Amino acid sequence: MIALAFIAALCVVCSAQLPAPCESPKQWTGVRTLIDPSKHFFEKARVAYDEENMRTRFTEEIEQGKERDFYDVLHLYATKKEYRLNMKTKQCNVTTLTRSMRQVGVPMNATYLYTAEIGPVQIPLEHLTVAVFAGNYTEDNVKYMSYVTTPGCIPVMDRYSNSITGYIESHYFDIKVGAIPADRFTPPPECTKDEEY
């Protein structure tokens, strides 16, 4: 009888624990949409994300108001370089990165908020369970909320806000987890012409 009471108490304690921040995949490719409603800004980008080697690549289609631009943006955080190629004009800007790489997924210091179902839960295979976490990036005083699948910890959506950028929302889809060929992180030839001489 005592053993049964102990097991029942253990089950209550275990079920009352809140989920801890999970570890999102360190390497993946996919698509991101980014929205800033206050600036009438919309971006759709193909993404190559490599947290292990501290690098990202975005092939962006940007709409701001009636303007539309296309960019190939490579961030190499280990060498603190950004290559930004305007795909219309072929103009490339190489700049020094002044911020560190921001993790996509759930930072380890995040606080669990809730779990939710996206889609109709009564139809098998037509819904997705997400865990929602929140916190602050102290480097630039950004408040965030991260939505990730559970299980799997695959990024679904991020929301960011601070006094400088305002409110920004990112959605992730078509994610393929796994190693990315190194040539995906080679700077565009238009950006390295001057370096060859």
Side-chain angles (χ1 to χ4, degrees):
M1 188 66 164
I2 293 174
L4 186 58
F6 176 75
I7 291 172
L10 185 61
C11 287
V12 168
V13 168
C14 288
S15 67
Q17 291 179 345
L18 296 176
C22 55
E23 186 172 331
S24 293
K26 303 283 187 202
Q27 296 178 320
W28 54 267
T29 59
V31 177
R32 175 189 77 181
T33 59
L34 189 139
I35 302 163
D36 182 341
S38 69
K39 296 179 179 79
H40 305 286
F41 178 88
F42 174 80
E43 172 196 286
K44 182 177 180 183
R46 296 175 57 73
V47 179
Y49 177 84
D50 184 357
E51 188 176 328
E52 288 180 4
N53 296 298
M54 298 176 55
R55 55 194 184 178
T56 59
R57 188 165 208 156
F58 300 92
T59 306
E60 304 172 337
E61 177 181 335
I62 297 173
E63 289 181 28
Q64 187 158 11
K66 295 182 183 195
E67 295 294 317
R68 193 174 201 182
D69 282 306
F70 301 87
Y71 292 94
D72 180 1
V73 182
L74 175 63
H75 295 120
L76 301 175
Y77 291 93
T79 58
K80 296 191 181 302
K81 283 206 168 183
E82 176 187 276
Y83 298 87
R84 180 175 296 272
L85 174 66
N86 182 315
M87 295 168 70
K88 281 183 181 176
T89 66
K90 300 300 182 190
Q91 173 67 38
C92 181
N93 291 322
V94 181
T95 58
T96 301
L97 288 169
T98 57
R99 61 179 170 80
S100 57
M101 183 175 182
R102 181 156 289 154
Q103 175 185 4
V104 176
V106 182
M108 295 319 291
N109 64 347
T111 302
Y112 170 78
L113 296 180
Y114 59 90
T115 300
E117 299 291 328
I118 298 175
V121 294
Q122 72 276 21
I123 303 173
L125 304 176
E126 292 293 325
H127 65 278
L128 179 67
T129 305
V130 295
V132 182
F133 294 86
N136 290 310
Y137 290 114
T138 54
E139 180 182 357
D140 49 1
N141 198 29
V142 171
K143 294 179 183 172
Y144 67 84
M145 288 177 69
S146 292
Y147 298 65
V148 295
T149 62
T150 182
C153 204
I154 307 295
V156 174
M157 181 170 68
D158 291 320
R159 293 178 171 171
Y160 298 103
S161 68
N162 72 6
S163 60
I164 297 168
T165 60
Y167 173 79
I168 298 172
E169 187 170 294
S170 299
H171 298 258
Y172 303 93
F173 51 95
D174 295 342
I175 290 182
K176 294 170 188 66
V177 175
I180 304 164
D183 64 351
R184 291 284 298 271
F185 298 102
T186 301
E190 295 88 346
C191 297
T192 59
K193 282 191 249 183
D194 294 338
E195 294 175 6
E196 293 174 3
Y197 299 107

